Amino acid sequence: MNSPFAAILKEAVLSSPNAIGGAFADADGEMVDSFATIDPTDWAILTAHYGVVMAHINRLFDTWHYGGPEFFIAQHGKLDIVVHSVEHGYFALMALTKPANLAHALVRIRTACGALRKEMQ
C-alpha cells in the first residue's frame, strides 16, 4: 500500500499532463517517497541531483538574507523540472516531458506541498 506521501505525489503527477514523476525529499536530496513512471534508480538519482541544486540555491539566498526560494524551474531539452520548497529543508519535485504546461504543474506541485506539510505534522 502506498504511503500518504506517495498518494499525494501520485495525484499531482497523474493530474499534470506529461508528468513522469513526483518526489518528496529531504534537504540532502534523499527521497522520503515518490511516484514515477520511469526507472526507480534513475528517478532517485534525478531527485538527489536536484536536492543538491536546491541546497545551493538556499545557501546563496541565505547569504543575501532574502530567505530561501519558494520554487525554481529547470528547463532541459526534453524534460522540465519544477522544484518546490515544502518546509524544514524538505522539497517536492515534479518532472515533465515536453511540451509541459508549467503553470499547471506549478499549481499542482504547490497544492501537493500543502498536503505534504499537513501530513508531516
Side-chain angles (χ1 to χ4, degrees):
M1 182 165 173
N2 286 341
S3 77
F5 298 128
I8 292 165
L9 297 165
K10 182 177 181 179
E11 180 181 335
V13 169
L14 294 180
S15 66
S16 300
N18 296 333
I20 61 167
F24 176 48
D26 69 14
D28 295 324
E30 187 171 335
M31 269 197 295
V32 174
D33 216 334
S34 69
F35 171 81
T37 60
I38 65 171
D39 176 75
T41 301
D42 289 344
W43 186 244
I45 292 169
L46 183 138
T47 300
H49 282 287
Y50 277 96
V52 171
V53 173
M54 184 64 146
H56 283 294
I57 292 172
N58 276 317
R59 279 192 288 279
L60 171 69
F61 283 101
D62 192 43
T63 299
W64 291 337
H65 308 289
Y66 292 139
E70 182 178 345
F71 70 91
F72 72 89
I73 296 171
Q75 293 185 283
H76 303 277
K78 295 181 181 179
L79 197 65
D80 290 337
I81 309 289
V82 180
V83 181
H84 200 292
S85 174
V86 177
E87 68 178 19
H88 306 298
Y90 288 85
F91 68 93
L93 174 150
M94 185 186 295
L96 307 100
T97 58
K98 294 195 180 222
N101 182 334
L102 292 172
H104 179 82
L106 183 56
V107 168
R108 297 305 302 146
I109 198 74
R110 184 171 282 149
T111 300
C113 286
L116 291 167
R117 267 191 228 74
K118 286 180 184 175
E119 197 59 45
M120 289 172 69
Q121 298 174 356

